[in-house]
């Protein structure tokens, strides 16, 4: 099973992001907390141009909080900071604005010394379905961008004012042009950053998820499915049976992935 997905609009989006960065002060990098390391796109890193970065570990309500906070500590440097949240939570907007102002304090102080209140421009980047547009809408205080629980909803860049002299540029989600690391590719598919249709064998994908999640979350899986984590056992327990001697493996695998994405298994972080 080879997973790779890089539609034409993503190549265009990377070009647009590159052009916007020339007039950007700070980058807001939205990561999916269910796979935060895999959410880092090397193509976007190359475009960062040594600008300050605020890493937003999003969808914390679906992730392993202790695990994410341990990983997040690695993203705190002189020029970078992080915040862990759910983009729809009350107060998220104020928390992010405060982080932006803190990272940009040097520029703000220099401008104020000259009697100028600077406008800070931030570009929001991230992989598809990481919650970028939902976060932007929260920051704006109302729905100004189209959102959806699937990859590829945002198609073009757009600048929006969020108050406090801060402007945001929402951008389309982008993946790597070549997903060489297939473990990363699988995680991106599990969290919905890559469309299921990209994979021909959904059964194999369901088995791969169980294998990967079982390493750290065996208790959560067995609580949901029982001690036997084979597709046969899960299909039998769910009643996904095509005939007397044949299980519906495709329906079973899809149900397992849906359980993970809708948080029915529990809070899981795959990285």
């Amino acid at each position: 099973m080879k997973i790779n997905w890089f539609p034409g609009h993503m190549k265009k989006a990377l070009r647009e992001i590159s052009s916007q960065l020339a007039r950007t002060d700070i980058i807001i990098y939205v990561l999916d907390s269910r796979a935060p390391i895999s959410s880092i796109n090397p193509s976007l890193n190359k475009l960062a141009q040594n600008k300050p970065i605020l890493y937003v570990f999003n969808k914390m309500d679906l992730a392993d909080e202790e695990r994410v906070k341990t990983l997040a500590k690695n993203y705190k440097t002189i020029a970078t900071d992080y915040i862990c949240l759910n983009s729809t939570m009350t107060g998220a907007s104020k928390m992010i604005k405060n982080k932006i102002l803190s990272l940009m304090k040097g520029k703000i102080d220099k401008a104020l010394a000259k009697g100028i209140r600077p406008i800070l421009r931030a570009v929001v980047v991230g992989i598809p379905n990481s919650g970028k547009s939902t976060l932007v809408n929260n920051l704006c205080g109302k729905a100004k961008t189209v959102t959806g629980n699937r990859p590829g909803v945002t198609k073009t860049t757009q600048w929006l004012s969020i108050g406090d002299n801060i402007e945001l540029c929402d951008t389309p989600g982008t993946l790597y042009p070549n997903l060489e690391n297939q473990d990363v590719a699988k995680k991106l598919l599990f969290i919905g950053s890559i469309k299921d249709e990209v994979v021909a064998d959904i059964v194999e994908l369901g088995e791969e998820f169980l294998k990967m999640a079982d390493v750290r979350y065996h208790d959560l899986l067995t609580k949901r499915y029982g001690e036997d984590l084979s597709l046969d056992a899960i299909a039998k327990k769910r009643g996904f049976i095509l005939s007397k001697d044949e299980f519906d493996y495709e329906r079973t695998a899809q149900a397992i992935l849906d359980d993970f994405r809708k948080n029915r298994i529990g809070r899981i972080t795959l990285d």
Side-chain angles (χ1 to χ4, degrees):
M1 177 175 61
K2 172 69 174 178
I3 302 171
N4 200 45
W5 187 54
F6 192 71
H9 75 268
M10 289 190 187
K11 184 176 181 180
K12 179 182 177 182
L14 284 174
R15 290 198 301 267
E16 290 184 5
I17 291 170
S18 180
S19 67
Q20 297 293 351
L21 285 174
R23 59 194 186 102
T24 298
D25 299 299
I26 184 171
I27 297 169
I28 300 177
Y29 209 137
V30 183
L31 311 175
D32 189 317
S33 293
R34 295 171 297 173
I37 297 175
S38 298
S39 295
I40 297 290
N41 184 344
S43 298
L44 292 175
N45 285 355
K46 292 177 182 178
L47 298 176
Q49 301 175 357
N50 298 317
K51 294 182 183 293
I53 300 175
L54 173 60
Y55 292 97
V56 177
F57 288 77
N58 195 23
K59 301 191 178 183
M60 283 293 292
D61 56 322
L62 305 177
D64 180 341
E65 184 174 0
E66 183 177 345
R67 176 68 179 164
V68 173
K69 288 185 175 179
T70 297
L71 294 172
K73 293 176 183 178
N74 297 319
Y75 293 77
K76 173 74 172 179
T77 68
I78 294 176
T80 66
D81 203 351
Y82 70 89
I83 188 169
C84 301
L85 50 73
N86 171 20
S87 60
T88 61
M89 65 184 275
T90 302
S93 175
K94 187 63 177 177
M95 292 165 63
I96 291 173
K97 288 180 183 179
N98 286 341
K99 288 283 187 179
I100 292 173
L101 295 174
S102 177
L103 280 168
M104 298 305 302
K105 187 176 185 303
K107 176 174 180 173
I108 294 171
D109 289 345
K110 286 181 181 179
L112 290 177
K114 298 177 182 178
I116 302 170
R117 191 182 179 196
I119 294 177
L120 304 177
R121 293 183 173 88
V123 167
V124 183
V125 301
I127 58 173
N129 200 36
S130 59
K132 293 182 287 69
S133 295
T134 300
L135 181 66
V136 169
N137 285 338
N138 193 341
L139 287 164
C140 292
K142 53 185 170 181
K144 290 191 176 183
T145 66
V146 180
T147 65
N149 188 26
R150 64 188 190 279
V153 175
T154 303
K155 297 293 187 182
T156 60
T157 58
Q158 50 184 321
W159 282 94
L160 305 162
S161 175
I162 63 169
D164 292 332
N165 271 33
I166 301 173
E167 293 182 356
L168 286 186
C169 179
D170 188 25
T171 66
T174 55
L175 292 171
Y176 324 164
N178 184 16
L179 284 164
E180 294 180 356
N181 187 325
Q182 286 296 288
D183 278 342
V184 167
K186 290 172 188 174
K187 292 173 186 176
L188 294 178
L189 208 151
F190 295 152
I191 65 175
S193 293
I194 297 176
K195 295 180 179 179
D196 288 347
E197 302 89 272
V198 171
V199 178
D201 193 343
I202 194 71
V203 175
E204 183 179 354
L205 194 66
E207 291 176 325
E208 287 291 327
F209 170 77
L210 289 173
K211 180 180 178 181
M212 187 178 292
D214 192 41
V215 173
R216 195 177 289 120
Y217 300 100
H218 178 77
D219 290 346
L220 289 179
L221 291 176
T222 54
K223 183 178 180 180
R224 178 71 179 173
Y225 302 116
E227 290 298 324
D228 188 342
L229 295 175
S230 68
L231 287 191
D232 281 6
I234 296 173
K236 183 177 181 180
K237 184 176 181 179
R238 289 290 184 89
F240 296 159
I241 301 172
L242 294 173
S243 64
K244 183 178 179 180
D245 300 315
E246 186 179 1
F247 296 116
D248 191 338
Y249 293 117
E250 288 192 5
R251 186 180 178 191
T252 304
Q254 189 63 64
I256 292 168
L257 295 177
D258 287 343
D259 283 348
F260 166 63
R261 293 166 182 166
K262 296 176 181 177
N263 203 28
R264 297 187 187 115
I265 299 172
R267 297 172 65 167
I268 290 175
T269 296
L270 297 169
D271 285 330

